[in-house]
Coordinates of all heavy atoms in Angstrom, one line a residue:
M1 N -21.5 -52.4 41.0 CA -21.6 -51.0 40.7 C -20.2 -50.4 40.5 O -19.2 -50.8 41.1 CB -22.4 -50.3 41.9 CG -23.8 -50.7 41.8 SD -25.0 -49.9 43.0 CE -24.0 -48.7 43.8
A2 N -20.1 -49.4 39.7 CA -18.8 -48.8 39.4 C -18.3 -47.9 40.6 O -17.1 -47.8 40.7 CB -19.0 -48.0 38.1
T3 N -19.1 -47.4 41.5 CA -18.6 -46.6 42.5 C -18.4 -47.3 43.8 O -17.9 -46.7 44.7 CB -19.7 -45.5 42.8 OG1 -21.0 -46.2 43.1 CG2 -20.0 -44.6 41.6
T4 N -18.7 -48.6 43.9 CA -18.3 -49.3 45.1 C -16.9 -49.8 45.0 O -16.3 -50.0 44.0 CB -19.3 -50.6 45.3 OG1 -19.1 -51.4 44.2 CG2 -20.7 -50.1 45.3
F5 N -16.4 -49.9 46.3 CA -15.0 -50.5 46.4 C -15.0 -51.5 47.6 O -15.8 -51.4 48.5 CB -14.0 -49.4 46.5 CG -14.2 -48.6 47.8 CD1 -13.5 -48.9 49.0 CD2 -15.0 -47.5 47.8 CE1 -13.7 -48.1 50.1 CE2 -15.2 -46.7 48.9 CZ -14.5 -47.1 50.0
T6 N -14.1 -52.4 47.6 CA -14.0 -53.3 48.7 C -12.7 -53.1 49.4 O -11.7 -52.7 48.9 CB -14.0 -54.8 48.1 OG1 -12.9 -55.0 47.2 CG2 -15.3 -55.1 47.5
T7 N -12.8 -53.3 50.7 CA -11.6 -53.1 51.5 C -11.0 -54.5 51.8 O -11.6 -55.5 51.8 CB -11.9 -52.5 52.9 OG1 -12.9 -53.3 53.6 CG2 -12.4 -51.1 52.7
P8 N -9.6 -54.6 52.0 CA -9.0 -55.9 52.2 C -9.5 -56.5 53.5 O -9.6 -55.7 54.5 CB -7.5 -55.6 52.1 CG -7.4 -54.2 52.3 CD -8.7 -53.5 52.0
H9 N -9.6 -57.8 53.6 CA -10.0 -58.4 54.8 C -8.9 -58.5 55.8 O -7.8 -59.0 55.3 CB -10.7 -59.8 54.5 CG -11.9 -59.7 53.8 ND1 -13.1 -59.3 54.3 CD2 -12.3 -59.9 52.5 CE1 -14.1 -59.2 53.4 NE2 -13.6 -59.7 52.3
T10 N -9.0 -58.2 57.0 CA -8.0 -58.4 57.9 C -8.2 -59.6 58.8 O -7.2 -60.0 59.6 CB -8.0 -57.2 58.9 OG1 -9.2 -57.0 59.5 CG2 -7.6 -55.9 58.1
H11 N -9.4 -60.2 58.8 CA -9.6 -61.5 59.6 C -9.1 -62.7 58.8 O -9.3 -62.8 57.7 CB -11.1 -61.6 59.8 CG -11.7 -60.4 60.6 ND1 -11.4 -60.2 61.9 CD2 -12.5 -59.6 60.2 CE1 -12.0 -59.1 62.2 NE2 -12.7 -58.6 61.2
H12 N -8.4 -63.5 59.5 CA -7.8 -64.7 58.8 C -8.8 -65.7 58.4 O -8.7 -66.3 57.4 CB -6.8 -65.4 59.8 CG -5.6 -64.5 60.1 ND1 -4.7 -64.4 59.2 CD2 -5.3 -63.9 61.2 CE1 -3.7 -63.5 59.8 NE2 -4.1 -63.3 61.0
G13 N -10.0 -65.8 59.1 CA -11.1 -66.6 58.8 C -11.7 -66.2 57.4 O -12.0 -67.1 56.6
L14 N -11.9 -65.0 57.2 CA -12.5 -64.6 55.9 C -11.4 -64.6 54.8 O -11.8 -64.9 53.6 CB -13.0 -63.1 56.0 CG -14.3 -62.9 57.0 CD1 -14.6 -61.5 57.1 CD2 -15.4 -63.7 56.5
S15 N -10.2 -64.1 55.1 CA -9.2 -64.1 54.0 C -8.8 -65.5 53.5 O -8.4 -65.6 52.4 CB -8.0 -63.4 54.5 OG -7.4 -64.1 55.5
S16 N -9.1 -66.5 54.3 CA -8.8 -67.9 53.8 C -9.8 -68.4 52.8 O -9.5 -69.3 52.1 CB -8.6 -68.8 55.0 OG -9.8 -69.0 55.7
L17 N -11.0 -67.8 52.9 CA -12.1 -68.2 52.0 C -11.9 -67.6 50.6 O -12.4 -68.1 49.7 CB -13.4 -67.8 52.6 CG -13.9 -68.4 53.9 CD1 -15.1 -67.9 54.4 CD2 -13.9 -69.9 53.7
L18 N -11.3 -66.5 50.5 CA -11.0 -65.8 49.2 C -10.0 -66.5 48.4 O -9.0 -66.9 48.9 CB -10.6 -64.4 49.4 CG -11.7 -63.5 50.2 CD1 -11.2 -62.1 50.4 CD2 -13.0 -63.5 49.4
H19 N -10.3 -66.7 47.1 CA -9.3 -67.3 46.3 C -8.4 -66.2 45.7 O -8.9 -65.1 45.3 CB -10.1 -68.0 45.1 CG -11.0 -69.1 45.6 ND1 -10.4 -70.2 46.1 CD2 -12.3 -69.2 45.6 CE1 -11.5 -71.1 46.5 NE2 -12.6 -70.5 46.2
P20 N -7.2 -66.4 45.5 CA -6.3 -65.4 44.9 C -6.7 -65.2 43.5 O -7.1 -66.3 42.8 CB -5.0 -65.9 45.1 CG -5.1 -67.5 45.2 CD -6.4 -67.6 45.9
A21 N -6.6 -64.0 43.0 CA -6.9 -63.7 41.6 C -5.9 -64.4 40.7 O -4.7 -64.3 40.9 CB -6.9 -62.3 41.3
P22 N -6.3 -65.0 39.6 CA -5.3 -65.6 38.6 C -4.5 -64.5 38.0 O -5.0 -63.5 37.7 CB -6.3 -66.3 37.7 CG -7.5 -65.6 37.7 CD -7.7 -65.2 39.1
R23 N -3.3 -64.9 37.8 CA -2.4 -63.9 37.2 C -2.7 -63.8 35.7 O -2.8 -64.7 35.0 CB -0.9 -64.3 37.4 CG -0.5 -64.2 38.9 CD 1.0 -64.5 38.9 NE 1.4 -64.4 40.3 CZ 2.6 -64.1 40.7 NH1 3.6 -64.1 39.8 NH2 3.0 -64.1 42.0
A24 N -2.7 -62.5 35.3 CA -3.0 -62.3 33.9 C -1.7 -62.5 33.1 O -0.6 -62.1 33.5 CB -3.5 -60.8 33.7
K25 N -1.9 -62.9 31.9 CA -0.7 -63.0 31.0 C -0.3 -61.7 30.5 O -1.1 -60.8 30.3 CB -1.1 -63.9 29.8 CG -1.4 -65.3 30.1 CD -1.8 -66.1 28.9 CE -2.2 -67.5 29.2 NZ -2.7 -68.3 28.0
K26 N 1.0 -61.6 30.5 CA 1.5 -60.2 30.0 C 1.4 -60.1 28.5 O 1.7 -60.9 27.7 CB 3.0 -60.1 30.4 CG 3.3 -60.0 31.8 CD 4.7 -59.7 32.1 CE 5.0 -59.4 33.6 NZ 6.3 -59.1 33.9
I27 N 0.6 -59.0 28.1 CA 0.4 -58.7 26.8 C 1.4 -57.5 26.4 O 1.5 -56.6 27.1 CB -1.0 -58.3 26.6 CG1 -1.9 -59.4 26.9 CG2 -1.4 -57.9 25.1 CD1 -3.4 -59.1 27.0
A28 N 1.9 -57.6 25.2 CA 2.8 -56.6 24.8 C 2.0 -55.4 24.5 O 1.0 -55.3 23.7 CB 3.6 -57.0 23.5
K29 N 2.3 -54.2 25.3 CA 1.6 -53.0 25.1 C 2.5 -52.1 24.3 O 3.7 -52.1 24.4 CB 1.3 -52.3 26.4 CG 0.4 -53.2 27.2 CD 0.1 -52.5 28.6 CE -0.8 -53.3 29.5 NZ -1.0 -52.6 30.7
P30 N 1.8 -51.3 23.4 CA 2.6 -50.3 22.6 C 3.2 -49.2 23.5 O 2.6 -49.0 24.6 CB 1.6 -49.7 21.6 CG 0.3 -50.0 22.3 CD 0.4 -51.2 23.1
G31 N 4.2 -48.6 23.1 CA 4.9 -47.5 23.9 C 4.0 -46.3 23.9 O 2.9 -46.2 23.2
T32 N 4.4 -45.3 24.8 CA 3.6 -44.1 24.8 C 3.6 -43.3 23.6 O 2.5 -42.7 23.2 CB 4.2 -43.3 26.0 OG1 5.5 -43.1 25.8 CG2 4.0 -44.0 27.4
V33 N 4.7 -43.4 22.8 CA 4.8 -42.6 21.6 C 3.9 -43.2 20.6 O 3.1 -42.5 19.8 CB 6.2 -42.5 21.1 CG1 6.3 -41.9 19.7 CG2 7.1 -41.8 22.1
A34 N 3.8 -44.5 20.5 CA 3.0 -45.2 19.6 C 1.5 -45.0 19.9 O 0.6 -44.7 19.0 CB 3.3 -46.7 19.5
T35 N 1.2 -45.0 21.2 CA -0.1 -44.7 21.6 C -0.6 -43.3 21.3 O -1.7 -42.9 20.8 CB -0.3 -44.9 23.1 OG1 0.0 -46.2 23.4 CG2 -1.7 -44.7 23.6
F36 N 0.4 -42.3 21.5 CA 0.1 -40.9 21.2 C -0.2 -40.7 19.7 O -1.1 -40.1 19.3 CB 1.3 -40.0 21.7 CG 1.1 -38.6 21.3 CD1 0.2 -37.8 21.9 CD2 1.9 -38.1 20.2 CE1 0.1 -36.5 21.5 CE2 1.7 -36.8 19.8 CZ 0.9 -36.0 20.5
V37 N 0.7 -41.3 18.9 CA 0.6 -41.1 17.4 C -0.7 -41.8 17.0 O -1.5 -41.3 16.1 CB 1.8 -41.8 16.7 CG1 1.6 -41.8 15.2 CG2 3.0 -40.9 17.0
G38 N -1.1 -43.0 17.5 CA -2.3 -43.7 17.1 C -3.5 -42.9 17.5 O -4.4 -42.7 16.7
D39 N -3.5 -42.3 18.7 CA -4.7 -41.4 19.1 C -4.7 -40.2 18.3 O -5.8 -39.7 17.9 CB -4.5 -41.1 20.6 CG -4.9 -42.2 21.5 OD1 -5.4 -43.3 21.0 OD2 -4.4 -42.2 22.7
L40 N -3.6 -39.5 17.9 CA -3.6 -38.4 17.1 C -4.1 -38.6 15.7 O -4.9 -37.8 15.2 CB -2.1 -37.9 17.1 CG -1.9 -36.6 16.2 CD1 -2.6 -35.4 16.9 CD2 -0.4 -36.2 16.0
L41 N -3.7 -39.8 15.1 CA -4.2 -40.1 13.8 C -5.7 -40.3 13.9 O -6.5 -39.9 13.0 CB -3.5 -41.3 13.2 CG -2.1 -41.0 12.8 CD1 -1.4 -42.4 12.4 CD2 -2.0 -40.0 11.7
E42 N -6.2 -41.0 14.9 CA -7.7 -41.2 15.1 C -8.4 -39.9 15.3 O -9.5 -39.8 14.6 CB -7.8 -42.1 16.2 CG -9.3 -42.4 16.5 CD -9.5 -43.4 17.7 OE1 -8.4 -44.0 18.2 OE2 -10.6 -43.5 18.2
D43 N -7.9 -39.0 16.0 CA -8.6 -37.7 16.2 C -8.6 -36.9 14.9 O -9.6 -36.2 14.6 CB -7.8 -36.9 17.3 CG -8.1 -37.5 18.7 OD1 -9.0 -38.3 18.8 OD2 -7.3 -37.1 19.6
V44 N -7.5 -37.0 14.1 CA -7.4 -36.1 12.9 C -8.4 -36.7 11.9 O -9.0 -36.0 11.1 CB -5.9 -36.2 12.3 CG1 -6.0 -35.6 11.0 CG2 -5.1 -35.3 13.2
Q45 N -8.6 -38.0 11.9 CA -9.5 -38.7 10.9 C -11.0 -38.5 11.2 O -11.8 -38.6 10.3 CB -9.1 -40.1 10.7 CG -7.9 -40.4 10.0 CD -7.4 -41.8 10.1 OE1 -8.1 -42.7 10.7 NE2 -6.3 -42.1 9.4
Q46 N -11.2 -38.2 12.4 CA -12.7 -38.0 12.9 C -13.3 -36.8 12.3 O -12.6 -35.8 12.4 CB -12.8 -38.2 14.3 CG -12.6 -39.5 14.9 CD -12.8 -39.5 16.4 OE1 -12.9 -38.5 17.1 NE2 -12.8 -40.8 16.9
T47 N -14.6 -36.8 11.9 CA -15.2 -35.6 11.6 C -16.0 -35.2 12.8 O -16.6 -35.9 13.6 CB -16.2 -35.8 10.5 OG1 -17.1 -36.8 10.9 CG2 -15.5 -36.2 9.1
P48 N -16.2 -33.9 13.1 CA -16.9 -33.3 14.2 C -18.4 -33.7 14.1 O -18.9 -33.8 13.0 CB -16.8 -31.8 14.2 CG -16.2 -31.5 12.8 CD -15.6 -32.8 12.3
L49 N -19.0 -33.9 15.3 CA -20.4 -34.3 15.3 C -21.3 -33.1 14.9 O -22.4 -33.2 14.5 CB -20.8 -34.8 16.6 CG -20.0 -36.2 17.0 CD1 -20.5 -36.6 18.3 CD2 -20.5 -37.2 16.0
Q50 N -20.8 -31.9 15.2 CA -21.5 -30.7 15.1 C -20.7 -29.6 14.4 O -19.5 -29.5 14.7 CB -22.0 -30.2 16.4 CG -23.2 -29.2 16.4 CD -23.7 -29.0 17.8 OE1 -22.9 -29.2 18.8 NE2 -24.8 -28.4 17.9
A51 N -21.3 -28.7 13.6 CA -20.5 -27.7 13.0 C -20.0 -26.7 14.0 O -20.7 -26.6 15.1 CB -21.4 -27.0 12.0
A52 N -18.9 -26.1 13.7 CA -18.2 -25.3 14.7 C -19.1 -24.1 15.1 O -19.1 -23.7 16.3 CB -16.9 -24.8 14.2
E53 N -19.8 -23.5 14.1 CA -20.6 -22.4 14.5 C -21.8 -22.7 15.4 O -22.4 -21.8 15.9 CB -21.0 -21.6 13.3 CG -22.0 -22.3 12.3 CD -21.2 -22.9 11.1 OE1 -20.0 -22.9 11.1 OE2 -21.9 -23.4 10.2
F54 N -22.2 -24.0 15.4 CA -23.4 -24.4 16.2 C -22.9 -25.2 17.5 O -23.8 -25.9 18.0 CB -24.3 -25.2 15.4 CG -24.9 -24.4 14.2 CD1 -24.6 -24.7 12.9 CD2 -25.6 -23.3 14.4 CE1 -25.1 -24.0 11.9 CE2 -26.2 -22.5 13.4 CZ -25.9 -22.9 12.1
A55 N -21.7 -25.2 17.8 CA -21.3 -25.9 18.9 C -21.9 -25.4 20.2 O -22.3 -24.2 20.3 CB -19.8 -25.9 19.1
K56 N -22.1 -26.3 21.2 CA -22.9 -25.9 22.3 C -22.2 -24.7 23.1 O -22.9 -23.8 23.6 CB -23.0 -27.1 23.3 CG -24.1 -28.1 22.9 CD -24.3 -29.1 24.0 CE -25.4 -30.0 23.6 NZ -25.6 -30.9 24.6
H57 N -20.9 -24.8 23.3 CA -20.3 -23.7 24.0 C -20.4 -22.4 23.3 O -20.6 -21.3 24.0 CB -18.8 -24.1 24.4 CG -17.9 -24.1 23.2 ND1 -17.9 -25.3 22.5 CD2 -17.1 -23.3 22.6 CE1 -17.1 -25.1 21.5 NE2 -16.6 -23.9 21.5
D58 N -20.3 -22.4 22.0 CA -20.5 -21.2 21.2 C -22.0 -20.7 21.4 O -22.1 -19.5 21.5 CB -20.1 -21.4 19.8 CG -18.6 -21.6 19.5 OD1 -17.9 -21.1 20.4 OD2 -18.3 -22.2 18.5
M59 N -22.9 -21.6 21.3 CA -24.3 -21.2 21.5 C -24.5 -20.6 22.9 O -25.2 -19.5 23.0 CB -25.2 -22.4 21.2 CG -25.3 -22.8 19.8 SD -26.3 -24.4 19.6 CE -27.8 -23.9 20.2
F60 N -24.0 -21.2 23.9 CA -24.2 -20.5 25.2 C -23.5 -19.2 25.3 O -24.0 -18.3 25.8 CB -23.5 -21.4 26.2 CG -23.6 -20.9 27.6 CD1 -24.8 -21.0 28.3 CD2 -22.4 -20.5 28.3 CE1 -24.9 -20.6 29.6 CE2 -22.6 -20.0 29.6 CZ -23.8 -20.1 30.3
R61 N -22.2 -18.9 24.6 CA -21.6 -17.7 24.7 C -22.4 -16.7 23.9 O -22.6 -15.5 24.4 CB -20.3 -17.8 24.1 CG -19.4 -16.6 24.3 CD -18.0 -16.8 23.7 NE -17.3 -17.9 24.3 CZ -16.8 -18.9 23.7 NH1 -16.9 -19.0 22.4 NH2 -16.2 -19.9 24.4
E62 N -22.9 -17.1 22.8 CA -23.8 -16.1 22.0 C -25.1 -15.7 22.8 O -25.5 -14.6 22.8 CB -24.2 -16.8 20.7 CG -23.0 -16.9 19.7 CD -22.4 -15.6 19.4 OE1 -23.2 -14.6 19.1 OE2 -21.2 -15.5 19.2
H63 N -25.6 -16.7 23.5 CA -26.8 -16.4 24.3 C -26.5 -15.4 25.4 O -27.3 -14.4 25.6 CB -27.4 -17.7 24.9 CG -28.5 -17.5 25.8 ND1 -29.8 -17.2 25.4 CD2 -28.6 -17.6 27.2 CE1 -30.6 -17.1 26.4 NE2 -29.9 -17.3 27.5
I64 N -25.4 -15.6 26.1 CA -25.0 -14.7 27.1 C -24.7 -13.3 26.5 O -25.1 -12.2 27.1 CB -23.8 -15.2 27.9 CG1 -24.1 -16.5 28.6 CG2 -23.2 -14.1 28.8 CD1 -25.2 -16.4 29.7
N65 N -24.0 -13.2 25.4 CA -23.8 -11.9 24.7 C -25.1 -11.2 24.3 O -25.3 -10.0 24.6 CB -22.9 -12.1 23.6 CG -21.5 -12.5 24.0 OD1 -21.1 -12.2 25.1 ND2 -20.8 -13.0 23.0
A66 N -26.0 -11.9 23.8 CA -27.3 -11.4 23.4 C -28.1 -10.9 24.7 O -28.7 -9.8 24.6 CB -28.2 -12.3 22.6
M67 N -28.0 -11.6 25.7 CA -28.8 -11.3 26.9 C -28.2 -10.0 27.5 O -28.9 -9.0 27.9 CB -28.8 -12.4 28.0 CG -29.7 -13.6 27.5 SD -31.4 -13.2 27.3 CE -31.8 -12.7 28.9
S68 N -26.8 -9.9 27.6 CA -26.3 -8.7 28.1 C -26.5 -7.5 27.3 O -26.7 -6.4 27.8 CB -24.7 -8.9 28.3 OG -24.1 -9.1 27.0
I69 N -26.5 -7.7 26.0 CA -26.7 -6.6 25.0 C -28.2 -6.1 25.3 O -28.5 -4.9 25.4 CB -26.5 -6.9 23.6 CG1 -25.0 -7.0 23.4 CG2 -27.1 -5.9 22.7 CD1 -24.6 -7.6 22.0
S70 N -29.1 -7.0 25.4 CA -30.6 -6.6 25.6 C -30.8 -6.0 26.9 O -31.6 -5.0 27.0 CB -31.5 -7.8 25.4 OG -31.2 -8.8 26.4
Y71 N -30.2 -6.5 28.0 CA -30.3 -5.8 29.3 C -29.7 -4.4 29.3 O -30.3 -3.5 29.9 CB -29.5 -6.6 30.4 CG -30.4 -7.9 30.8 CD1 -29.8 -9.0 31.1 CD2 -31.8 -7.7 31.0 CE1 -30.5 -10.1 31.5 CE2 -32.5 -8.8 31.4 CZ -31.9 -10.0 31.7 OH -32.5 -11.1 32.0
F72 N -28.5 -4.3 28.6 CA -27.9 -2.8 28.5 C -28.9 -1.9 27.8 O -29.2 -0.8 28.1 CB -26.5 -2.9 27.8 CG -25.9 -1.7 27.6 CD1 -25.4 -1.0 28.7 CD2 -25.9 -1.0 26.4 CE1 -24.8 0.3 28.6 CE2 -25.2 0.2 26.3 CZ -24.7 0.9 27.4
A73 N -29.5 -2.4 26.7 CA -30.4 -1.6 25.8 C -31.6 -1.3 26.7 O -32.1 -0.1 26.6 CB -30.8 -2.4 24.6
L74 N -32.2 -2.2 27.5 CA -33.3 -1.9 28.4 C -32.9 -0.9 29.4 O -33.8 0.1 29.7 CB -33.7 -3.2 29.1 CG -34.9 -3.1 30.1 CD1 -36.1 -2.8 29.2 CD2 -35.1 -4.4 30.7
I75 N -31.7 -0.9 30.0 CA -31.4 0.1 31.0 C -31.2 1.4 30.3 O -31.7 2.5 30.9 CB -30.0 -0.3 31.6 CG1 -30.3 -1.6 32.5 CG2 -29.5 0.8 32.4 CD1 -29.0 -2.2 33.1
V76 N -30.7 1.5 29.1 CA -30.6 2.8 28.4 C -31.9 3.4 28.1 O -32.2 4.6 28.2 CB -29.7 2.6 27.1 CG1 -29.8 3.9 26.2 CG2 -28.3 2.3 27.4
L77 N -32.8 2.5 27.6 CA -34.2 3.0 27.3 C -34.9 3.5 28.7 O -35.7 4.5 28.6 CB -35.0 1.9 26.7 CG -34.6 1.6 25.2 CD1 -35.5 0.4 24.8 CD2 -34.9 2.8 24.3
L78 N -34.7 2.8 29.7 CA -35.4 3.3 30.9 C -34.7 4.7 31.4 O -35.5 5.5 31.9 CB -35.1 2.2 32.1 CG -36.0 0.9 31.9 CD1 -35.6 0.0 33.0 CD2 -37.5 1.3 32.0
V79 N -33.5 4.8 31.3 CA -32.9 6.1 31.6 C -33.4 7.2 30.7 O -33.7 8.3 31.1 CB -31.4 6.0 31.6 CG1 -30.7 7.4 31.8 CG2 -30.8 5.1 32.8
A80 N -33.4 6.9 29.4 CA -33.9 7.8 28.5 C -35.4 8.2 28.6 O -35.8 9.4 28.5 CB -33.7 7.3 27.0
A81 N -36.1 7.2 29.0 CA -37.6 7.5 29.2 C -37.7 8.4 30.6 O -38.8 9.0 30.7 CB -38.4 6.3 29.3
S82 N -36.9 8.2 31.5 CA -37.0 8.9 32.8 C -36.5 10.3 32.7 O -36.8 11.1 33.6 CB -36.3 8.2 33.9 OG -34.9 8.1 33.7
L83 N -35.7 10.7 31.7 CA -35.3 12.1 31.6 C -36.4 13.1 31.5 O -36.3 14.1 32.1 CB -34.2 12.1 30.4 CG -32.8 11.5 30.7 CD1 -32.0 11.7 29.5 CD2 -32.2 12.1 32.0
P84 N -37.4 12.9 30.6 CA -38.4 13.9 30.6 C -39.2 14.0 31.9 O -39.6 15.1 32.3 CB -39.4 13.4 29.4 CG -38.5 12.5 28.6 CD -37.6 11.9 29.5
V85 N -39.5 12.9 32.5 CA -40.1 12.9 33.8 C -39.3 13.6 34.8 O -39.8 14.5 35.6 CB -40.4 11.5 34.3 CG1 -41.0 11.5 35.7 CG2 -41.3 10.8 33.3
L86 N -38.0 13.4 34.8 CA -37.0 14.1 35.8 C -37.1 15.6 35.5 O -37.0 16.5 36.4 CB -35.6 13.5 35.6 CG -34.5 14.1 36.5 CD1 -35.0 13.8 38.0 CD2 -33.2 13.5 36.2
A87 N -37.0 16.0 34.2 CA -37.0 17.4 33.8 C -38.3 18.1 34.2 O -38.3 19.2 34.8 CB -36.8 17.6 32.3
Y88 N -39.4 17.4 34.1 CA -40.7 18.1 34.5 C -40.8 18.2 36.0 O -41.2 19.1 36.6 CB -41.8 17.1 34.0 CG -43.2 17.6 34.4 CD1 -43.7 18.7 33.8 CD2 -43.9 17.1 35.4 CE1 -45.0 19.2 34.2 CE2 -45.1 17.5 35.9 CZ -45.7 18.6 35.2 OH -46.9 19.0 35.6
S89 N -40.3 17.1 36.7 CA -40.4 17.2 38.2 C -39.4 18.3 38.8 O -39.7 18.9 39.7 CB -40.0 15.9 38.7 OG -38.7 15.5 38.5
V90 N -38.2 18.5 38.1 CA -37.4 19.5 38.5 C -38.0 20.9 38.3 O -37.9 21.8 39.2 CB -35.9 19.4 37.9 CG1 -35.1 20.7 38.0 CG2 -35.2 18.2 38.3
Q91 N -38.6 21.1 37.2 CA -39.3 22.3 36.9 C -40.4 22.6 37.8 O -40.6 23.7 38.3 CB -39.8 22.3 35.4 CG -40.5 23.5 34.9 CD -41.1 23.4 33.6 OE1 -41.0 22.3 33.0 NE2 -41.6 24.5 33.0
Y92 N -41.2 21.5 38.2 CA -42.3 21.7 39.1 C -41.7 22.0 40.5 O -42.4 22.8 41.2 CB -43.0 20.4 39.1 CG -44.2 20.3 40.1 CD1 -45.4 21.1 39.8 CD2 -44.2 19.6 41.3 CE1 -46.5 21.0 40.6 CE2 -45.2 19.6 42.2 CZ -46.4 20.3 41.9 OH -47.4 20.3 42.7
L93 N -40.6 21.3 40.9 CA -40.1 21.7 42.3 C -39.5 23.1 42.4 O -39.5 23.7 43.4 CB -39.0 20.6 42.7 CG -39.6 19.2 42.9 CD1 -38.4 18.2 43.2 CD2 -40.5 19.2 44.1
V94 N -38.9 23.5 41.3 CA -38.2 24.9 41.3 C -39.4 26.0 41.4 O -39.2 26.9 42.0 CB -37.4 25.1 40.1 CG1 -36.9 26.5 39.9 CG2 -36.2 24.1 40.1
A95 N -40.5 25.7 40.7 CA -41.6 26.7 40.7 C -42.1 26.9 42.1 O -42.7 28.0 42.4 CB -42.6 26.2 39.7
Y96 N -42.1 25.8 43.0 CA -42.7 26.0 44.3 C -41.6 26.1 45.3 O -40.8 25.9 45.8 CB -43.6 24.8 44.7 CG -44.9 24.9 43.8 CD1 -45.1 24.0 42.8 CD2 -45.9 25.8 44.1 CE1 -46.2 24.1 42.0 CE2 -47.1 25.8 43.4 CZ -47.2 24.9 42.4 OH -48.3 25.0 41.6

C-alpha cells in the first residue's frame, strides 16, 4: 500500500535476514533548467480539458454569487412586504 511504511529493524537476528538493496546504476538526469523548460513547453502545448468560462471554480463562484443575490432580493422583498403591515399596526396602536 502507498500509505504504509517500514521501520528499520534494530534486532540483529532480523536484520541479518534482510538482503541489502542492489545499488541502482546512475542515470544522467537533466538539470533543473532543462526540466523547467521541458515542463513549460509541455504545459504550453497542452489544450485545456474544459473551456475557461465553464471551469469548476468559476461555476462555483457564479453559483455563490447567484445565491447571495437571490438571498438579498428575498430579504428586500420581505422588508418591502412588511412595511404595509407595520404601517397598519402603527396606525392601529396609535388609535388606541
Side-chain angles (χ1 to χ4, degrees):
M1 291 185 1
T3 58
T4 61
F5 63 94
T6 58
T7 57
H9 295 288
T10 57
H11 302 292
H12 294 289
L14 292 176
S15 63
S16 64
L17 297 176
L18 297 175
H19 299 291
R23 292 188 176 197
K25 296 179 182 178
K26 290 188 176 183
I27 300 173
K29 295 182 180 179
T32 55
V33 175
T35 304
F36 174 75
V37 171
D39 290 344
L40 180 66
L41 290 175
E42 183 180 341
D43 290 342
V44 168
Q45 291 173 352
Q46 287 180 352
T47 58
L49 297 176
Q50 194 173 22
E53 64 259 11
F54 298 115
K56 280 189 175 180
H57 64 278
D58 289 339
M59 288 173 58
F60 180 72
R61 188 178 302 123
E62 291 296 325
H63 174 73
I64 295 298
N65 288 341
M67 292 300 294
S68 63
I69 290 169
S70 64
Y71 283 138
F72 180 73
L74 182 64
I75 291 169
V76 168
L77 286 175
L78 287 174
V79 169
S82 67
L83 286 177
V85 175
L86 182 64
Y88 178 76
S89 63
V90 167
Q91 181 184 8
Y92 180 75
L93 290 174
V94 171
Y96 289 107

